[in-house]
Amino acid sequence: MAHFDKINGKFKGKDILSLDQFTPKDLEIIFSFTDKTKEIAKNAQHSHVLSGNIVTLLFYEPSSRTFGSFAAAIKQLGGQTIDILNPQQFSSVVKGETLEDTIRVFEAYSDAIVIRHSDIGTAQKAAEAASFVPVINAGDGIGEHPTQALLDLYTIFEKFGRLDNLTAVIAGDLLNGRTVHSLIRGLSLYKNNTIYLLSPKELKLSVYDKDTFIKSGIKLIEIQNEVDLPADAHFWYWTRVQKERFQNEKTYQAVKNKFIVTPEMLKKYGSKDMILMHPLPRVGEILPVIDEDPRAVYLKSQIRNGMYIRMALIALVLGKL
Ligand code: NCD
């Protein structure tokens, strides 16, 4: 099992690879700075917090949201980015350059590296190759997506004022969905959380993940039918079936969109005060008509919070806050 350096209140210079590195206190610190970065962004304030800083955005996998969110976060604070998209097609990687060498090159040009890759563990490999700058995991295959979980947790905290004593529904591709893996780790840091996991049986959490999460004390209830949804969930976290992780189209088609949020479903099983979240992109698993429902936050606060939290995280890791 991977060993990650704990943050323990000291963000400066730390790689951000997994939610396992955080304590509730660390989340409290980042949330309180996020309250401030939110004001900077909302009021279009000139900020020089990251002036002089350059961050490399090294994205081996398709991304528009997370890439845009990091780029905007850095620019909001007066920093600059080096944008490397699809290096496997457009850079020296085509010539056979190793990941380690690519990392060493970009740490010479910049103060931090944000990396997304299709293979689990790549962010950690990158962090090991970097000697001078922190590395931030923006999604490593079916592994983790820690900054997404930070924004998800912040969104939940904003609504309920706590991250303990919550009942949640997480639905979709629990086997391959890295955002789910990081979010469950985050919710496991707090007491008395119960998560209903709704998925087709082919897309349940892996046995390894399930055992790991249960050991951390969180209550997980696996269900395969929407009639077993709890009536009192504080939030629903819907996810896309991760097509790119399937070997062939047929197996994907067999399990895609088994559970679609419709007005009827929300009416029958949703509570009045809950929120409905999704990391995006969605591909049919929440009907567009739901967007108007005040409980649907995925295209509203949840997406905005991504930029605010990344502003706070980058500034903390670069020692600017
Ligand atoms: C998620 C991802 O890349 O894991 N998207 C994102 O970061 N906004 C979720 C997904 O692709 O389904």
Side-chain angles (χ1 to χ4, degrees), residues 148-161:
Q148 177 71 42
L150 293 175
L151 78 92
D152 295 334
L153 293 165
Y154 182 75
T155 304
I156 299 161
F157 184 76
E158 246 188 342
K159 165 76 184 176
F160 299 104

Side-chain angles (χ1 to χ4, degrees), residues 58-71:
L58 184 58
F59 278 57
Y60 290 80
E61 248 195 354
S63 171
S64 44
R65 245 152 302 272
T66 305
F67 180 83
S69 176
F70 269 108

Side-chain angles (χ1 to χ4, degrees), residues 180-195:
V180 169
H181 301 158
S182 289
L183 180 58
I184 299 178
R185 282 187 168 84
L187 290 167
S188 304
L189 299 172
Y190 298 85
K191 288 210 169 37
N192 206 19
N193 287 327
T194 302
I195 309 180

Side-chain angles (χ1 to χ4, degrees), residues 64-66 68-69 148 151-152 155 158 277-281 297-310:
S64 44
R65 245 152 302 272
T66 305
S69 176
Q148 177 71 42
L151 78 92
D152 295 334
T155 304
E158 246 188 342
M277 304 169 75
H278 192 302
L280 301 177
V297 298
Y298 40 88
L299 286 167
K300 301 169 202 154
S301 58
Q302 192 185 357
I303 194 86
R304 296 207 170 97
N305 287 340
M307 181 175 76
Y308 308 147
I309 207 120
R310 290 180 175 111

Side-chain angles (χ1 to χ4, degrees), residues 8 13 15-16 25 53 64-65 79 116 132 150 172 175 179 191 206 221 261 275 279 284 298 301 313:
N8 281 334
D15 303 310
I16 305 295
K25 181 74 197 153
N53 285 122
S64 44
R65 245 152 302 272
R116 166 170 287 198
F132 309 107
L150 293 175
L175 178 67
T179 68
K191 288 210 169 37
S206 70
I221 302 171
V261 182
I275 50 173
Y298 40 88
S301 58
L313 182 71

Side-chain angles (χ1 to χ4, degrees), residues 61-63 65-66 116 138-139 141 144-145 148 176-179 237 239-242 244-245 278-282 285 303 310:
E61 248 195 354
S63 171
R65 245 152 302 272
T66 305
R116 166 170 287 198
E144 283 207 54
H145 193 348
Q148 177 71 42
N176 301 305
R178 55 195 174 200
T179 68
Y237 189 90
T239 65
R240 160 182 86 87
V241 175
Q242 308 278 302
E244 63 275 33
R245 312 291 176 217
H278 192 302
L280 301 177
R282 73 171 147 181
E285 61 279 348
I303 194 86
R310 290 180 175 111

